[in-house]
Amino acid sequence: DARVTQTPRHKVTEMGQEVTMRCQPILGHNTVFWYRQTMMQGLELLAYFRNRAPLDDSGMPKDRFSAEMPDATLATLKIQPSEPRDSAVYFCASGSRETDTQYFGPGTRLTVL
Amino acid sequence: GENVEQHPSTLSVQEGDSAVIKCTYSDSASNYFPWYKQELGKRPQLIIDIRSNVGEKKDQRIAVTLNKTAKHFSLHITETQPEDSAVYFCAATYEGINDMRFGAGTRLTVKP
C-alpha cells in the first residue's frame, strides 16, 4: 500500500530559525502539493509541482517560504525565518492525471515559539 | 478559478441517525468531486468521489449525489457510528488534479 511520507512528523523551533520539511510522493506520481492546515483556515494550498516544475505558488508567502523538487522522489518546503504565525500542520499530497485524486502524507506539525 | 463552499461547518447527530453535508461550486466546467475524511491528528483520506457523468454513487453507508444544474453535491452518511466522527472535506476540480479546490470542512460528531 504505497503512501506519501513526510519528515519530520513534529518540529518545535524558535522564531527566526530555518525550518525544512520533506515529502516523498508515491512512486509514479508526477504532481506534488503543499498545504497548510490551521484550526481556522482548513486546507490552504501553498504550492504545487508537476514533473518537478512549479506550477502555482501563489498561496505561499514569497518572502519567507520556498518550495522545491530536487528530484522526482523528494519535495521540500522551507521557511526562513520562521515566525509564530507559521505554526500549523503542513501536508504534502501527490497524485497523477490517471488517479485524478490526491493522496495525503501524514503531515508535519510545526510549532514556532 | 473554482470556489467551493461547504455547509454546515459543524454537525452533531445521534448514533444511528443520518448526516448530510452539502457543497456548492462555482465553475460549471468542474467534473470531479472527491470527499475526504480527516480523523483527529490524521491525514485527510479519500472516502468517495463522483464524476460529472453520474448523478449518484454509493458505497455501503456513504453516498454522494451531484446536481450539475444547481452546481451542488452532497455527502450522505446513513446509520452513523461514533467512528464516523471526523472532519469531512469536499473538493471540486475540472483540470484533473491541477486545480482542486477544497471546501472549508465540516466537523461531524456522532454521539453514542
Side-chain angles (χ1 to χ4, degrees):
Chain A
D1 185 21
R3 288 198 166 196
V4 177
T5 59
Q6 289 184 248
T7 57
R9 295 293 307 278
H10 303 272
K11 177 72 176 178
V12 180
T13 191
E14 293 189 347
M15 182 174 63
Q17 296 297 305
E18 177 179 299
V19 175
T20 299
M21 291 169 271
R22 295 176 176 79
C23 167
Q24 183 172 14
I26 293 173
L27 190 64
H29 283 187
N30 64 348
T31 309
V32 175
F33 302 81
W34 283 105
Y35 292 93
R36 176 168 60 186
Q37 186 176 43
T38 63
M39 290 296 291
M40 302 304 294
Q41 296 291 336
L43 286 165
E44 178 188 8
L45 178 66
L46 298 175
Y48 70 92
F49 295 76
R50 166 154 288 179
N51 296 324
R52 298 175 54 198
L55 289 189
D56 186 354
D57 60 1
S58 58
M60 202 165 66
K62 302 291 192 307
D63 56 338
R64 299 183 299 108
F65 285 60
S66 62
E68 295 179 346
M69 275 202 78
D71 60 61
T73 64
L74 176 65
T76 63
L77 180 66
K78 188 176 295 185
I79 308 174
Q80 167 63 22
S82 58
E83 298 181 0
R85 58 179 168 154
D86 300 329
S87 297
V89 179
Y90 290 81
F91 285 102
C92 170
S94 74
S96 67
R97 283 203 177 274
E98 289 73 32
T99 67
D100 246 352
T101 197
Q102 299 180 23
Y103 295 88
F104 284 80
T108 294
R109 182 175 296 278
L110 173 65
T111 302
V112 183
L113 302 174
Chain B
E2 176 64 275
N3 182 48
V4 178
E5 294 191 355
Q6 184 171 346
H7 300 278
S9 56
T10 60
L11 179 60
S12 182
V13 300
Q14 207 67 38
E15 182 177 0
D17 288 350
S18 295
V20 180
I21 302 170
K22 298 181 180 180
C23 289
T24 61
Y25 59 99
S26 61
D27 193 332
S28 57
S30 288
N31 59 6
Y32 176 66
F33 308 91
W35 285 88
Y36 287 82
K37 175 184 180 182
Q38 186 180 24
E39 298 176 353
L40 188 63
K42 302 283 184 65
R43 73 186 81 192
Q45 290 195 291
L46 178 73
I47 55 171
I48 194 168
D49 56 13
I50 192 168
R51 297 182 187 275
S52 59
N53 58 348
V54 299
E56 184 174 0
K57 185 175 178 180
K58 193 172 182 180
D59 183 4
Q60 299 183 346
R61 295 186 299 107
I62 60 174
V64 58
T65 58
L66 171 65
N67 184 326
K68 289 170 56 181
T69 303
K71 289 190 285 188
H72 66 71
F73 55 112
S74 300
L75 178 71
H76 304 253
I77 306 174
T78 58
E79 301 171 23
T80 53
Q81 302 168 2
E83 51 264 39
D84 295 329
S85 296
V87 177
Y88 291 81
F89 291 97
C90 63
T93 183
Y94 68 92
E95 289 182 343
I97 59 172
N98 279 355
D99 199 27
M100 190 175 291
R101 290 292 179 255
F102 285 85
T106 296
R107 183 175 300 278
L108 173 65
T109 302
V110 180
K111 294 179 285 188

